[in-house]
Amino acid sequence: MATKPRQLDRDFAASGDATELAIALNDRYGYLPAEEIIAVAIDLFRDAGGIGATSSFGADSAALLHLIAKVDPGIPVAFLDTGQHFGETLDYRDQLVADLGLTNLKIVAPRAKALAEQDPDGTLHQRDTDLCCDIRKVEPMARAVEPYRAWFTGRKRAQAATRAQMPVFEAVGPRIRVNPLARWTTEDQANYMRQNELRQNPLVAFGYLSIGCFPCTSPVSPGEDPRAGRWAGQAKIECGIHLPGLEAALSPSR
């Protein structure tokens, strides 16, 4: 029988302090299977500020979106169109949305003024990758999740050292970020994709195991860390949409 959140939790979800709420939700629901975490979170937040999801439509995206679609295909799914995606990713996005019957895709783009001022020729990534990500990803992500009290991501602890201690429910300012797949391994992901015959981003077949913008993404060799293909040759391993900069972008004073 599916777990149902308590009325007390629903009331807390609407107006409680996000940090305290995240702790309470991890204690009560963080151990559940991914599909139940998704169902609980939708039940909790649907009428308590709303809930959405974000997706890069990259190498691992299909599993989370399939799980969400089974519970509610109308959940808003935001895609950050940086203007520098692989064409294959854009095609895959549209195909996967159709496959899963998702009905509320929201495409969020960088602000034209910021691009004109900071990256008029599209080469900012060659000079300042952090600023490029801020303009093309972090600020648009803040706008994408701003309407909701909570949102889903497909992040996993096994993906990077920066995610090793990641909770299922975490506070980001006044909002809750929900990571239903936090405990999944690479094998869990592969098994789920295979068992449910989910479409895969075609770039995976060419060694692109972590897929972002084309100027800063490269294929990796067999056995290599999948994220080694992001910002290769740099210390950078995160674009920033899951780091403290997002909280700053979401602050009312910005």
Side-chain angles (χ1 to χ4, degrees), residues 19 22 178 180 213 217 238 248:
T19 299
V178 188
C213 296
T217 303
E238 296 268 7

Side-chain angles (χ1 to χ4, degrees), residues 207 209 219-229 232:
L209 303 185
V220 298
S221 302
E224 193 176 6
D225 180 349
R227 291 185 67 82

Side-chain angles (χ1 to χ4, degrees), residues 69-90:
K70 289 200 297 182
V71 179
D72 184 352
I75 291 294
V77 176
F79 171 74
L80 306 182
D81 190 347
T82 66
Q84 294 189 338
H85 280 295
F86 290 90
E88 290 89 342
T89 294
L90 300 180

Side-chain angles (χ1 to χ4, degrees), residues 90-107:
L90 300 180
D91 291 342
Y92 175 64
R93 176 196 66 196
D94 297 340
Q95 292 163 353
L96 191 59
V97 164
D99 287 349
L100 302 180
L102 296 168
T103 61
N104 200 357
L105 178 68
K106 295 184 177 295
I107 298 174

Side-chain angles (χ1 to χ4, degrees), residues 118-170:
Q118 302 285 350
D119 195 13
D121 60 357
T123 62
L124 179 60
H125 64 276
Q126 298 175 2
R127 304 185 301 277
D128 190 334
T129 53
D130 287 341
L131 180 58
C132 188
C133 286
D134 283 347
I135 293 171
R136 294 180 180 277
K137 289 190 171 184
V138 179
E139 191 281 329
M141 173 65 83
R143 282 187 281 119
V145 302
E146 191 276 334
Y148 312 111
R149 170 69 158 161
W151 78 96
F152 294 113
T153 83
R155 295 185 304 156
K156 305 169 189 67
R157 292 170 185 159
Q159 287 174 322
T162 52
R163 302 177 181 183
Q165 303 301 318
M166 179 181 66
V168 172
F169 297 90
E170 56 184 335

